[in-house]
Amino acid sequence: MTLKVDVTVAALAESDGRFLIVQERAARRIVLNQPAGHLEAGESLQEAVIRETLEETGRVFEPRAVVGLYLWRGTGERSVLRVAFAGPVGERDESVALDRGIIRTLWLERAQLEARSAELRSPLVLKCIDDYLAGVRHPLSVLSHVPADELPELVLAPARR
C-alpha cells in the first residue's frame, strides 16, 4: 500500500519559557497547536513556515534552525511529515486578518500545554517542544529547495518504457 503523506511546517517561537500557540478549530474540535500548516506548491519549507505563522498569528516568523522532522501516522490513512523550525517572531500586526479557523493566539509554558494535553492537535506539539527544550537545532542548510525550473530535463520527462 502506498503511503500518503502530508508535508507540514511548524513554528516554535519561544519567549521567556513560553511558546506561541494557536487555539483553532480543526476536525470539529477546538485544539492547541504551534503555528503550522501545509506546504503549498512551489513554496520552500522556510517560505511555508513564514507564511503559515503570519496567517495564523499576524506575526512575522524568522526561521533560524530546524528542530526536527517528524513522521506521524494520525487517524485515517494519511500520515504527516512535519518540519519544525525554531526562531523569533515579531509583534502582532493587527492589520493582518487571521485564518478563519483561528480562535486566538496564546503564550504557554510546556507544563501548561501538558496539563491541557487532551486539547493538543497531535502528539507532535509536545514532541517538538521537548526537542527544542533539549537543545536540538539543525542548521537551515540541511534543507534544500530545488524549483522545478532548475531540474534537468531528464528528471522532468515522463518515464518511457
Side-chain angles (χ1 to χ4, degrees):
M1 176 153 80
T2 302
L3 181 66
K4 296 174 184 165
V5 179
D6 291 324
V7 177
T8 65
V9 294
L12 281 92
E14 181 260 340
S15 178
D16 297 323
R18 297 179 308 148
F19 294 88
L20 180 60
I21 299 295
V22 295
Q23 185 178 45
E24 62 184 339
R25 288 180 182 85
R28 297 185 199 99
R29 292 177 55 215
I30 294 178
V31 297
L32 300 172
N33 196 11
Q34 283 98 4
H38 290 84
L39 179 68
E40 294 183 358
E43 204 172 40
S44 73
L45 293 162
Q46 290 97 321
E47 290 166 344
V49 75
I50 292 167
R51 175 187 51 76
E52 285 290 348
T53 305
L54 183 62
E55 290 174 356
E56 294 189 357
T57 70
R59 297 170 182 265
V60 174
F61 177 70
E62 181 188 338
R64 292 194 179 162
V66 174
V67 175
L69 287 83
Y70 305 87
L71 182 61
W72 177 63
R73 173 95 187 231
T75 57
E77 294 188 17
R78 296 197 91 76
S79 294
V80 173
L81 178 62
R82 173 187 264 207
V83 182
F85 292 87
V89 289
E91 293 298 316
R92 166 85 166 94
D93 181 347
E94 296 295 334
S95 70
V96 175
L98 303 185
D99 275 355
R100 212 171 50 134
I102 303 299
I103 297 168
R104 63 183 172 150
T105 61
L106 306 158
W107 287 92
L108 298 175
E109 295 174 353
R110 192 225 180 268
Q112 292 173 300
L113 286 164
E114 185 172 26
R116 298 173 71 174
S117 62
E119 297 175 66
L120 299 182
R121 182 154 185 179
S122 80
L124 298 179
V125 176
L126 283 179
K127 176 63 176 149
C128 292
I129 288 174
D130 288 342
D131 287 350
Y132 175 88
L133 290 172
V136 177
R137 306 287 191 286
H138 304 282
L140 295 174
S141 61
V142 301
L143 303 175
S144 293
H145 176 72
V146 182
D149 61 351
E150 292 182 19
L151 293 173
E153 189 175 318
L154 180 61
V155 173
L156 296 175
R160 296 183 185 152
R161 299 202 183 261

